[in-house]
Amino acid sequence: MATAPGAAQAQQAGDGLSLSGAMRLRYEVIDGQPRVGFNQSDDLVNLRTNILAEYRSDHWRAAIELYDSRVWGEGDGTPVTTNEVNTLEPVQAYVAGDFDNVFGKGSKLTLTAGRMMLNLGSRRLVAADDYRNTTNGYSGLRADISARGGWKATLIYTLPQVRLPDDNASLRSSKVRLDRESFDLVLWGGQISKAKAIGPGDG
């Protein structure tokens, strides 16, 4: 979980229940709005709060993370979208397990199922947005594999969450509505890397 300056956290290490949380308050100002139909000059207050509860037991863990993203001070001509508002949303709710030596001695397999955030590789293509007031969530399966010789692989089959509500009135009133996923929108694939494949870098 990414946190921002000023985040308050309380966490218990090892097995058992751990809790952590963060709040980020941001004031945005624009002058010379380039988008047609919106206020030429505008300002907006953004608040993002997230709370993560995780329970660990041996090689298993279960977690739920609640995101609450809201804005204040918007006018009739202020662009307010699902990039700014997503109220009381369980972006993550998953179970995961770690399994040793599945693909030979020294290998490790981690399986995750449920709602989750994804950060793959350089985060250029698949990432949980941290700058924006809301983030990206996915529902599905993830497998992380590590093997001897520095080989690593990540495989995913997920349904990206569509942030709701998405109508103007509901967004401005911070209405609570669970995000939706369906097989109409599927993200699947994977990546493989090897440590020191080309000199000191990863391949």
Side-chain angles (χ1 to χ4, degrees), residues 90-106:
V91 175
Q92 297 203 100
Y94 63 81
V95 292
D98 300 318
F99 308 93
D100 295 330
N101 303 318
V102 175
F103 300 102
K105 187 177 180 180

PDB file of all heavy atoms in Angstrom, residues 90-106:
ATOM      1  N   PRO A  90     -14.547  -0.787  -1.282  1.00  0.00           N
ATOM      2  CA  PRO A  90     -13.572  -1.831  -0.952  1.00  0.00           C
ATOM      3  C   PRO A  90     -12.750  -2.203  -2.187  1.00  0.00           C
ATOM      4  O   PRO A  90     -13.038  -3.181  -2.883  1.00  0.00           O
ATOM      5  CB  PRO A  90     -14.449  -2.993  -0.477  1.00  0.00           C
ATOM      6  CG  PRO A  90     -15.750  -2.800  -1.216  1.00  0.00           C
ATOM      7  CD  PRO A  90     -15.920  -1.307  -1.360  1.00  0.00           C
ATOM      8  N   VAL A  91     -11.732  -1.409  -2.472  1.00  0.00           N
ATOM      9  CA  VAL A  91     -10.911  -1.617  -3.667  1.00  0.00           C
ATOM     10  C   VAL A  91     -10.193  -2.956  -3.607  1.00  0.00           C
ATOM     11  O   VAL A  91     -10.003  -3.614  -4.627  1.00  0.00           O
ATOM     12  CB  VAL A  91      -9.909  -0.454  -3.823  1.00  0.00           C
ATOM     13  CG1 VAL A  91      -8.969  -0.712  -5.003  1.00  0.00           C
ATOM     14  CG2 VAL A  91     -10.649   0.860  -4.040  1.00  0.00           C
ATOM     15  N   GLN A  92      -9.800  -3.373  -2.398  1.00  0.00           N
ATOM     16  CA  GLN A  92      -9.148  -4.673  -2.240  1.00  0.00           C
ATOM     17  C   GLN A  92      -9.930  -5.538  -1.241  1.00  0.00           C
ATOM     18  O   GLN A  92     -10.326  -5.064  -0.179  1.00  0.00           O
ATOM     19  CB  GLN A  92      -7.708  -4.506  -1.740  1.00  0.00           C
ATOM     20  CG  GLN A  92      -6.811  -3.743  -2.702  1.00  0.00           C
ATOM     21  CD  GLN A  92      -5.351  -4.068  -2.475  1.00  0.00           C
ATOM     22  OE1 GLN A  92      -4.749  -4.875  -3.187  1.00  0.00           O
ATOM     23  NE2 GLN A  92      -4.750  -3.425  -1.482  1.00  0.00           N
ATOM     24  N   ALA A  93     -10.116  -6.795  -1.604  1.00  0.00           N
ATOM     25  CA  ALA A  93     -10.720  -7.792  -0.711  1.00  0.00           C
ATOM     26  C   ALA A  93     -10.283  -9.156  -1.260  1.00  0.00           C
ATOM     27  O   ALA A  93     -10.910  -9.696  -2.157  1.00  0.00           O
ATOM     28  CB  ALA A  93     -12.234  -7.663  -0.689  1.00  0.00           C
ATOM     29  N   TYR A  94      -9.191  -9.688  -0.730  1.00  0.00           N
ATOM     30  CA  TYR A  94      -8.592 -10.874  -1.342  1.00  0.00           C
ATOM     31  C   TYR A  94      -8.086 -11.857  -0.294  1.00  0.00           C
ATOM     32  O   TYR A  94      -7.922 -11.535   0.883  1.00  0.00           O
ATOM     33  CB  TYR A  94      -7.441 -10.474  -2.258  1.00  0.00           C
ATOM     34  CG  TYR A  94      -6.277  -9.802  -1.558  1.00  0.00           C
ATOM     35  CD1 TYR A  94      -5.306 -10.549  -0.891  1.00  0.00           C
ATOM     36  CD2 TYR A  94      -6.142  -8.410  -1.567  1.00  0.00           C
ATOM     37  CE1 TYR A  94      -4.239  -9.941  -0.251  1.00  0.00           C
ATOM     38  CE2 TYR A  94      -5.082  -7.790  -0.917  1.00  0.00           C
ATOM     39  CZ  TYR A  94      -4.137  -8.559  -0.265  1.00  0.00           C
ATOM     40  OH  TYR A  94      -3.091  -7.948   0.376  1.00  0.00           O
ATOM     41  N   VAL A  95      -7.830 -13.068  -0.778  1.00  0.00           N
ATOM     42  CA  VAL A  95      -7.106 -14.080   0.004  1.00  0.00           C
ATOM     43  C   VAL A  95      -5.880 -14.470  -0.813  1.00  0.00           C
ATOM     44  O   VAL A  95      -5.910 -14.467  -2.051  1.00  0.00           O
ATOM     45  CB  VAL A  95      -7.986 -15.320   0.298  1.00  0.00           C
ATOM     46  CG1 VAL A  95      -9.117 -14.962   1.240  1.00  0.00           C
ATOM     47  CG2 VAL A  95      -8.525 -15.932  -0.985  1.00  0.00           C
ATOM     48  N   ALA A  96      -4.799 -14.790  -0.122  1.00  0.00           N
ATOM     49  CA  ALA A  96      -3.553 -15.143  -0.803  1.00  0.00           C
ATOM     50  C   ALA A  96      -2.836 -16.228  -0.016  1.00  0.00           C
ATOM     51  O   ALA A  96      -2.957 -16.315   1.215  1.00  0.00           O
ATOM     52  CB  ALA A  96      -2.656 -13.915  -0.959  1.00  0.00           C
ATOM     53  N   GLY A  97      -2.092 -17.051  -0.743  1.00  0.00           N
ATOM     54  CA  GLY A  97      -1.325 -18.108  -0.114  1.00  0.00           C
ATOM     55  C   GLY A  97       0.043 -18.256  -0.749  1.00  0.00           C
ATOM     56  O   GLY A  97       0.202 -18.030  -1.961  1.00  0.00           O
ATOM     57  N   ASP A  98       1.033 -18.616   0.055  1.00  0.00           N
ATOM     58  CA  ASP A  98       2.403 -18.828  -0.409  1.00  0.00           C
ATOM     59  C   ASP A  98       2.733 -20.310  -0.363  1.00  0.00           C
ATOM     60  O   ASP A  98       2.472 -20.980   0.650  1.00  0.00           O
ATOM     61  CB  ASP A  98       3.388 -18.062   0.477  1.00  0.00           C
ATOM     62  CG  ASP A  98       3.135 -16.561   0.469  1.00  0.00           C
ATOM     63  OD1 ASP A  98       2.864 -16.015  -0.619  1.00  0.00           O
ATOM     64  OD2 ASP A  98       3.201 -15.935   1.546  1.00  0.00           O
ATOM     65  N   PHE A  99       3.328 -20.827  -1.449  1.00  0.00           N
ATOM     66  CA  PHE A  99       3.629 -22.261  -1.554  1.00  0.00           C
ATOM     67  C   PHE A  99       5.082 -22.424  -1.994  1.00  0.00           C
ATOM     68  O   PHE A  99       5.495 -21.879  -3.023  1.00  0.00           O
ATOM     69  CB  PHE A  99       2.689 -22.932  -2.551  1.00  0.00           C
ATOM     70  CG  PHE A  99       1.236 -22.665  -2.277  1.00  0.00           C
ATOM     71  CD1 PHE A  99       0.589 -21.606  -2.899  1.00  0.00           C
ATOM     72  CD2 PHE A  99       0.533 -23.452  -1.386  1.00  0.00           C
ATOM     73  CE1 PHE A  99      -0.751 -21.338  -2.644  1.00  0.00           C
ATOM     74  CE2 PHE A  99      -0.809 -23.203  -1.124  1.00  0.00           C
ATOM     75  CZ  PHE A  99      -1.455 -22.138  -1.750  1.00  0.00           C
ATOM     76  N   ASP A 100       5.843 -23.177  -1.229  1.00  0.00           N
ATOM     77  CA  ASP A 100       7.274 -23.363  -1.507  1.00  0.00           C
ATOM     78  C   ASP A 100       7.527 -24.601  -2.355  1.00  0.00           C
ATOM     79  O   ASP A 100       6.788 -25.598  -2.269  1.00  0.00           O
ATOM     80  CB  ASP A 100       8.053 -23.472  -0.192  1.00  0.00           C
ATOM     81  CG  ASP A 100       8.021 -22.189   0.611  1.00  0.00           C
ATOM     82  OD1 ASP A 100       7.934 -21.115  -0.001  1.00  0.00           O
ATOM     83  OD2 ASP A 100       8.070 -22.274   1.859  1.00  0.00           O
ATOM     84  N   ASN A 101       8.572 -24.519  -3.181  1.00  0.00           N
ATOM     85  CA  ASN A 101       9.106 -25.664  -3.943  1.00  0.00           C
ATOM     86  C   ASN A 101       8.102 -26.284  -4.914  1.00  0.00           C
ATOM     87  O   ASN A 101       8.206 -27.461  -5.259  1.00  0.00           O
ATOM     88  CB  ASN A 101       9.624 -26.740  -2.988  1.00  0.00           C
ATOM     89  CG  ASN A 101      10.675 -26.213  -2.037  1.00  0.00           C
ATOM     90  OD1 ASN A 101      11.556 -25.440  -2.433  1.00  0.00           O
ATOM     91  ND2 ASN A 101      10.579 -26.596  -0.771  1.00  0.00           N
ATOM     92  N   VAL A 102       7.137 -25.494  -5.379  1.00  0.00           N
ATOM     93  CA  VAL A 102       6.146 -26.018  -6.330  1.00  0.00           C
ATOM     94  C   VAL A 102       6.792 -26.317  -7.675  1.00  0.00           C
ATOM     95  O   VAL A 102       6.464 -27.305  -8.335  1.00  0.00           O
ATOM     96  CB  VAL A 102       4.990 -25.012  -6.508  1.00  0.00           C
ATOM     97  CG1 VAL A 102       4.023 -25.489  -7.591  1.00  0.00           C
ATOM     98  CG2 VAL A 102       4.243 -24.832  -5.184  1.00  0.00           C
ATOM     99  N   PHE A 103       7.727 -25.471  -8.109  1.00  0.00           N
ATOM    100  CA  PHE A 103       8.385 -25.639  -9.404  1.00  0.00           C
ATOM    101  C   PHE A 103       9.855 -26.010  -9.216  1.00  0.00           C
ATOM    102  O   PHE A 103      10.719 -25.569  -9.957  1.00  0.00           O
ATOM    103  CB  PHE A 103       8.254 -24.364 -10.235  1.00  0.00           C
ATOM    104  CG  PHE A 103       6.829 -23.984 -10.522  1.00  0.00           C
ATOM    105  CD1 PHE A 103       6.214 -22.970  -9.795  1.00  0.00           C
ATOM    106  CD2 PHE A 103       6.096 -24.646 -11.489  1.00  0.00           C
ATOM    107  CE1 PHE A 103       4.898 -22.623 -10.061  1.00  0.00           C
ATOM    108  CE2 PHE A 103       4.782 -24.304 -11.756  1.00  0.00           C
ATOM    109  CZ  PHE A 103       4.172 -23.295 -11.031  1.00  0.00           C
ATOM    110  N   GLY A 104      10.115 -26.814  -8.228  1.00  0.00           N
ATOM    111  CA  GLY A 104      11.473 -27.242  -7.961  1.00  0.00           C
ATOM    112  C   GLY A 104      12.013 -26.617  -6.685  1.00  0.00           C
ATOM    113  O   GLY A 104      11.449 -25.675  -6.132  1.00  0.00           O
ATOM    114  N   LYS A 105      13.118 -27.160  -6.207  1.00  0.00           N
ATOM    115  CA  LYS A 105      13.724 -26.686  -4.976  1.00  0.00           C
ATOM    116  C   LYS A 105      14.099 -25.209  -5.078  1.00  0.00           C
ATOM    117  O   LYS A 105      14.688 -24.772  -6.065  1.00  0.00           O
ATOM    118  CB  LYS A 105      14.962 -27.517  -4.663  1.00  0.00           C
ATOM    119  CG  LYS A 105      15.570 -27.200  -3.305  1.00  0.00           C
ATOM    120  CD  LYS A 105      16.750 -28.106  -3.014  1.00  0.00           C
ATOM    121  CE  LYS A 105      17.350 -27.771  -1.649  1.00  0.00           C
ATOM    122  NZ  LYS A 105      18.506 -28.646  -1.338  1.00  0.00           N
ATOM    123  N   GLY A 106      13.743 -24.461  -4.071  1.00  0.00           N
ATOM    124  CA  GLY A 106      14.059 -23.035  -4.049  1.00  0.00           C
ATOM    125  C   GLY A 106      13.044 -22.150  -4.733  1.00  0.00           C
ATOM    126  O   GLY A 106      13.180 -20.933  -4.726  1.00  0.00           O
TER     127      GLY A 106
END
